[in-house]
Amino acid sequence: MIVLAVDSSSKVATVALMKNKKLLGEITLADKKEHSVILMTIIENLLDNNNLTIDDIDGYVVSKGPGSFTGLRIGMATVKGLSFGSNKPYVSVSSLDALALSVSNFDGIICPIMDALRDSVYTSLYRGNSTCTNSSSESTNTDGNYDLPVKLEQLLDYSALDLSELIELIKAKNEKVIFIGDGVDKYKDYLIENCPNCYFPPNHLNVVRASSLGEIGSILLENGDFDDSNSAPFYLKKPQAVREYEQRMK
């Protein structure tokens, strides 16, 4: 099975090609151009470099969020268009799950954090299991939409939390924790000061990787857990323009 995975949930645009869960190629760009300008170009370049066409793709994976409102809509619309145009299935996967999978061998709490502005983050909590090798096994995802690979056990539902609130939740678990995601760049000093038993991955892992998204999505596609035309990104927070409008109306 050849799978094309796309993530545009943050400032980074990333696309990966997977064949039978093995990576064929991946392009990740932290570009100032809008995702709508570069995403299809990345996809075309990746296919060309692997001597493939869109007709060779058996299924698609896309990030459903949380993350940038505009970025998520662009990614979802792109994959839906490719999926419906080729009559091939697609699945949507949380960007937080993909981040957590990148450090699933960590022996402690895994905490992906994506910057949600105003000292808040999009987050969840996971426990990794470095002894698990059978990717066909599964564990419960509290969101209820799909099951995660057995490498991850989700401990907290997807949330938008003030950073101070997240720190209190983690302290209550009294375990070491690894933070991963673009929120690390912004809040690392605060995390070190307020969460002494914390760890951080290499910087290149702090962006969502389409290959991680594709690894999870490949399992869903194999199991027939397809999305339908009604699937939409989940945002966790209302867009800022909506919040400001509601504040003015009070």
Side-chain angles (χ1 to χ4, degrees):
M1 174 182 283
I2 299 177
V3 171
L4 179 71
V6 173
D7 180 88
S8 55
S9 61
S10 67
K11 295 179 180 179
V12 174
T14 175
V15 180
L17 275 171
M18 316 282 290
K19 184 175 182 180
N20 300 327
K21 303 190 189 74
K22 294 182 179 179
L23 181 63
L24 293 178
E26 182 173 30
I27 297 176
T28 300
L29 295 178
D31 200 294
K32 292 182 180 179
K33 295 180 182 178
E34 295 181 357
H35 293 319
S36 59
V37 175
I38 63 174
L39 200 54
M40 280 306 302
T41 300
I42 297 174
I43 292 172
E44 290 168 0
N45 288 341
L46 191 56
L47 288 169
D48 287 344
N49 288 331
N50 284 274
N51 297 315
L52 296 171
T53 71
I54 207 69
D55 293 330
D56 296 311
I57 303 302
D58 298 306
Y60 299 88
V61 185
V62 65
S63 172
K64 65 178 179 180
S68 159
F69 299 100
T70 302
L72 288 170
R73 288 196 296 270
I74 291 169
M76 185 72 76
T78 299
V79 166
K80 278 187 175 183
L82 292 172
S83 171
F84 298 156
S86 62
N87 197 30
K88 300 291 178 63
Y90 84 98
V91 296
S92 58
V93 174
S94 169
S95 41
L96 295 171
D97 294 347
L99 281 168
L101 187 65
S102 294
V103 289
S104 58
N105 286 345
F106 182 73
D107 184 22
I109 301 297
I110 299 169
C111 182
I113 52 174
M114 299 179 68
D115 185 23
L117 305 178
R118 299 186 178 181
D119 294 328
S120 64
V121 292
Y122 301 120
T123 189
S124 184
L125 297 178
Y126 304 79
R127 191 182 307 281
N129 187 343
S130 60
T131 64
C132 293
T133 57
N134 182 4
S135 62
S136 64
S137 301
E138 299 166 346
S139 64
T140 301
N141 176 297
T142 60
D143 183 60
N145 289 337
Y146 57 82
D147 289 331
L148 287 167
V150 72
K151 293 178 182 178
L152 292 172
E153 175 191 1
Q154 191 172 14
L155 307 177
L156 174 71
D157 203 357
Y158 310 119
S159 305
L161 298 176
D162 290 338
L163 203 57
S164 58
E165 185 179 359
L166 174 61
I167 292 298
E168 291 305 311
L169 286 174
I170 290 172
K171 284 182 176 179
K173 293 186 176 297
N174 195 30
E175 295 185 55
K176 60 183 178 180
V177 58
I178 187 168
F179 293 98
I180 182 172
D182 62 13
V184 169
D185 294 334
K186 187 172 183 178
Y187 299 116
K188 189 172 184 177
D189 291 342
Y190 179 90
L191 295 170
I192 293 172
E193 181 180 352
N194 292 277
C195 192
N197 198 16
C198 66
Y199 297 80
F200 303 94
N203 287 334
H204 72 277
L205 292 179
N206 282 325
V207 297
V208 180
R209 305 304 296 253
S211 51
S212 294
L213 205 73
E215 185 171 343
I216 298 172
S218 293
I219 297 172
L220 301 178
L221 287 166
E222 284 186 351
N223 292 342
D225 296 331
F226 308 145
D227 283 42
D228 59 31
S229 59
N230 295 319
S231 294
F234 69 91
Y235 301 115
L236 294 183
K237 292 174 66 175
K238 296 178 181 178
Q240 183 175 347
V242 174
R243 297 197 302 269
E244 291 176 352
Y245 174 79
E246 291 177 346
Q247 186 64 33
R248 292 195 301 269
M249 293 299 100
K250 288 183 179 180

